[in-house]
Amino acid sequence: MEFRTLENAALNDNFGLLANNFGLLAKAMSGDMVFSLSQTTASPTVAECTAAAQVYNITVSLTTAAGEVHSWYNGKVLLAIEDDDSTGAATIDPAAGERAMTNGVLEVKVTMSKAVWTAGKKATLTVSDLATAGTGILGFVVADKTFVATVAA
């Protein structure tokens, strides 16, 4: 799609932005949206967890099935963190809850505290569409995506 050139440069930029995102919006309106994580698993050892906190910087993106980032999306997603070990604790930054994506992307830092974690125990980050909306994004439910760090012996 091509737009005619106007005399105001700012308007031309806005029309260009619309044209660039039109295809992505059309895909989103047909339900082509998935959460993508830069890393989905990790295997820190008990020794590594005992020596220092384990930190994972995870990039969360709203993409098409083909991996195209929905750069038009500046809405919220739901973050949750849980762990199943009584000796260590997992946290995320930003904190759990509804958090805003910018241009379809959100950076999340997962931290497993410095502790004697038990082998086989896990820290799990879950990314979901909004719980409060009940209808997902643009009326489509986007499947949850997880990052799981499983402690190795």
Side-chain angles (χ1 to χ4, degrees):
M1 177 178 293
E2 189 173 319
F3 292 100
R4 67 183 177 96
T5 302
L6 302 174
E7 293 178 19
N8 185 322
L11 285 176
N12 288 324
D13 290 344
N14 287 337
F15 281 123
L17 182 63
L18 177 63
N20 292 338
N21 285 314
F22 185 77
L24 289 172
L25 283 167
K27 289 178 182 183
M29 288 187 285
S30 70
D32 187 0
M33 292 178 285
V34 296
F35 289 121
S36 174
L37 305 182
S38 60
Q39 181 177 352
T40 56
T41 62
S43 300
T45 65
V46 171
E48 291 170 334
C49 292
T50 302
Q54 300 302 298
V55 178
Y56 303 95
N57 293 308
I58 309 297
T59 301
V60 179
S61 303
L62 181 65
T63 68
T64 65
E68 302 163 289
V69 175
H70 282 292
S71 56
W72 56 269
Y73 187 69
N74 290 307
K76 293 183 177 181
V77 295
L78 184 64
L79 301 178
I81 186 73
E82 69 175 302
D83 61 68
D84 60 359
D85 196 344
S86 60
T87 59
T91 60
I92 54 174
D93 183 22
E98 293 182 3
R99 301 293 169 233
M101 296 185 106
T102 301
N103 299 325
V105 177
L106 176 63
E107 299 292 331
V108 179
K109 180 168 72 171
V110 178
T111 302
M112 296 172 70
S113 66
K114 177 183 175 181
V116 183
W117 284 72
T118 306
K121 297 297 184 175
K122 299 175 181 149
T124 304
L125 164 69
T126 303
V127 180
S128 309
D129 56 23
L130 293 180
T132 55
T135 56
I137 298 171
L138 292 178
F140 293 94
V141 174
V142 181
D144 293 356
K145 192 72 172 181
T146 60
F147 162 79
V148 180
T150 304
V151 179

